[in-house]
Amino acid sequence: MRSERLHGTELSYARSVTDRPDSTRDERPVESNKAGSGRSDRRRPAFAEWLHAANRGTQVIDAVRRVRVLLPGDPAFGDPLSTSGPGSARAVARAAERFAGDEPRAAREIGLGALQVWQAALERVGRGKGSREVTVVFTDLVGFSSWSLGAGDEATLELLRKVAKAIEPPIVDRGGHVVKRMGDGLMAVFPSADKAIQAVVAAKKNLADVEVAGLRPEMRVGIHTGAPKEIGGDWLGVDVTIAARVMEAGGNGNVMMSAATLQALRPDTLEDLGYTVKPYRRSFFAGPLQGVPEDLRIFTLKRI
């Protein structure tokens, strides 16, 4: 109890909690925790500031990019060209770009490097030029544009559907992959030159039975074997350009192949199919092929 005198009257009342002599003991742990928290808070901003500076440091970013060049896959993985198309790694990269933006960051480069290796494992390709040899095939219908103007949209659509039904199953059945369709043509990739030739011969045979609005379509084909690079679900590189240019030499429905494809064929493949090859000679009035090596040799597929 504690007593005080007010206007000559003595008052008595119980001690409060704050009046206890040992009340300071309850406050000491709190003061101790606050002191420890202050030291931790001083360390945290310093560490966070270091991470912030390292993440934006040009030297750190350049070092990570140099490491990415040594990793499998595309060292520029992360740009719109490399992340377009289907695939889990590409989808993650697109989402990351929307979230993190495209400002230079070390953390961004590290994350893209991991996705680069992941995508390379899915595509089984190495750095720079593709690490495996494939055979690229381009097809095109002769005179399609002129015919479609007079035939109309309905007949044009019917023709394209019948053409796809005639030529795409032989491609898939022989291990080929249709990379893209381009109006009346397509681009396909095969694991071997033999499979590509077999698919093209079968496709041409099926196409002979197609007729729409008086048109029996003729298909010219270009085949080239090389090591293009697979990026974003597409195939890019000089070898793809050569295959497209080889097709342009096909004229009115011929099957053309480069010397690289001819050399990649097994000795008995053409004979088993009933075909042989003849060296291509550019006509006097035909312009030279653009974007191909000067020593490119082309051959025309001929039935025996």
Side-chain angles (χ1 to χ4, degrees), residues 165-195:
K165 188 177 180 180
I167 69 176
E168 293 192 18
I171 293 174
V172 176
D173 292 345
R174 289 158 180 82
H177 168 62
V178 177
V179 177
K180 54 188 172 184
R181 299 171 181 85
M182 302 167 289
D184 59 319
L186 59 78
M187 171 187 171
V189 173
F190 290 83
S192 73
D194 301 282
K195 295 295 184 181

Side-chain angles (χ1 to χ4, degrees), residues 114-129:
L115 294 173
Q116 165 189 334
V117 175
W118 181 13
Q119 185 61 30
L122 294 176
E123 296 179 344
R124 295 182 178 87
V125 299
R127 296 184 291 108
K129 197 172 184 180

Side-chain angles (χ1 to χ4, degrees), residues 140 142-143 204 218-221 247-255:
D140 179 44
V142 179
K204 292 275 287 185
E218 290 287 341
M219 181 176 69
R220 57 179 179 174
V221 182
M247 180 200 69
E248 292 178 2
N252 294 325
N254 292 316
V255 176

Side-chain angles (χ1 to χ4, degrees), residues 51-66:
L51 281 179
H52 180 82
N55 190 34
R56 290 164 172 76
T58 56
Q59 292 182 342
V60 178
I61 295 172
D62 290 342
V64 176
R65 286 175 175 171
R66 286 194 295 270

Side-chain angles (χ1 to χ4, degrees), residues 7-159:
H7 300 294
T9 303
E10 186 176 46
L11 301 177
S12 300
Y13 53 89
R15 292 179 182 269
S16 66
V17 174
T18 57
D19 291 332
R20 294 173 185 171
D22 60 347
S23 63
T24 55
R25 296 175 185 174
D26 297 334
E27 297 176 0
R28 288 171 186 168
V30 177
E31 292 176 357
S32 176
N33 289 341
K34 287 182 179 179
S37 176
R39 288 192 298 270
S40 177
D41 289 344
R42 284 193 296 270
R43 286 194 299 266
R44 286 174 185 168
F47 181 69
E49 188 65 28
W50 179 84
L51 281 179
H52 180 82
N55 190 34
R56 290 164 172 76
T58 56
Q59 292 182 342
V60 178
I61 295 172
D62 290 342
V64 176
R65 286 175 175 171
R66 286 194 295 270
V67 172
R68 287 190 61 187
V69 173
L70 302 176
L71 295 175
D74 180 12
F77 185 81
D79 62 4
L81 183 63
S82 62
T83 58
S84 62
S88 50
R90 298 188 189 108
V92 172
R94 290 194 296 268
E97 283 298 285
R98 287 194 295 268
F99 178 77
D102 57 358
E103 289 188 40
R105 296 286 191 277
R108 174 181 179 272
E109 294 296 329
I110 293 173
L112 290 176
L115 294 173
Q116 165 189 334
V117 175
W118 181 13
Q119 185 61 30
L122 294 176
E123 296 179 344
R124 295 182 178 87
V125 299
R127 296 184 291 108
K129 197 172 184 180
S131 61
R132 60 190 174 111
E133 188 176 80
V134 296
T135 297
V136 183
V137 174
F138 275 90
T139 72
D140 179 44
L141 297 183
V142 179
F144 170 80
S145 298
S146 300
W147 172 84
S148 63
L149 287 175
D153 292 343
E154 186 174 345
T156 298
L157 183 59
E158 180 183 0
L159 175 69

